[in-house]
Amino acid sequence: MKKTIRIGTRDSELALWQAHTVQKKLIALGYNTEIIAVKSTGDIILDKPLYELGITGIFTKTLDIAMLKGEVDIAVHSMKDVPTSLPKGIVQAAVLERASTLDILVHKGNLDFLNASGIIASGSLRRKAQWLHKYPTHEVEDLRGNVNTRLQKLKDNLWNGAIFAAAGLERINLKPDTFINLDWMIPAPAQGAMLVVAMENDVFSLEALSKLNDRETAICTYIERHFLKTLEGGCTAPIGALATIQNENIYFEGALFSLDGKEKIYIKKSCNFAEYKSFGKDCANEILTRGGDSLMKELRKQLK
């Protein structure tokens, strides 16, 4: 009898959309599948900022445990939520073709606040730091919850706007008309990409998922995540990174910020395909030598 691939996912609307996308692709290739949804700690505890919870991979840990216990065969994640070091026995099996990497500001129809005082909301230290870097007189409120919850909180509060990943809103058709693209904001490493992981000894699932892997997205996210890993940032540090491929070259921009946005250490470089495996690490090491090392030490103290 042909094996049924059990697909583990969080139970939010966006996470389920991602899992169903993988399911459809596997079914089209002739595989039998089943979706198993679980609730993560990051979905349950919504009254604290992520960095205060002190758990690496807060949105992925529950699925990691389910895989290690043999309750699911594979797990589908927003790649930007996944720690740069996977648990022992679990490996990256496929990175799907990337969607938009943009952050967007969802607002209430009036943008006058951009030139005055304003209050915007985001649960991301990266977004907060970059917003305060550009708009130092503004306030940034913490915003947690799944996409639907955050959109409702924006309606219910007196905030001027809130920052979202464009890809998440587009995937479940929740992107409103009142938004602007924040093309100046450097996205989270691997933003817009979906990652599927499997057990390293599960030859059947690994072979099936290899057919879903998008090479260009896999290369770009590899660079971005090695940049993050070398800075030792974890998923919540104010670090942005974006690699893109144009013709035969790979272009990269990355930055490390202080929490208040006042400090920014930025890098922009390119390389060819032969050099990509060390490219993210090399860019991060340059950031560290240009003051990033002391800034990271300060961030670790502040985020304890």
Side-chain angles (χ1 to χ4, degrees), residues 14 18 60 77-86 92 94-103 126-127 165-168 171 185-196 214 216-229 234-235 237 239-244 251-254 280:
L14 177 56
Q18 293 178 160
T60 60
H77 301 293
S78 291
M79 198 173 188
K80 68 183 176 67
D81 293 335
V82 180
T84 51
S85 294
L86 294 173
Q92 177 173 314
V95 185
L96 275 64
E97 185 178 358
R98 199 173 207 167
S100 172
T101 61
L102 280 172
D103 286 304
R126 173 190 60 84
R127 289 170 177 156
R171 281 169 174 157
M185 186 172 278
I186 305 171
Q191 184 158 309
M194 288 163 50
L195 171 67
V196 193
D214 182 76
E216 286 200 3
T217 304
I219 288 172
C220 289
T221 54
Y222 177 93
I223 292 165
E224 294 161 17
R225 283 166 62 78
H226 271 74
F227 177 79
L228 176 66
K229 185 174 185 175
C235 291
I239 294 168
L242 179 64
T244 54
Y251 295 86
F252 177 82
E253 64 172 336

Side-chain angles (χ1 to χ4, degrees), residues 138 148 152 154 203 294:
H138 284 191
N148 311 65
Q152 188 59 49
L154 175 58
V203 177
S294 59

Side-chain angles (χ1 to χ4, degrees), residues 6 49 51 60 62 84 142-143 158 216-218 228 238 264 274 291 303:
R6 297 166 298 168
Y51 66 87
T60 60
T62 309
T84 51
D142 187 61
L143 176 59
L158 297 174
E216 286 200 3
T217 304
L228 176 66
K264 174 184 178 181
L303 295 172

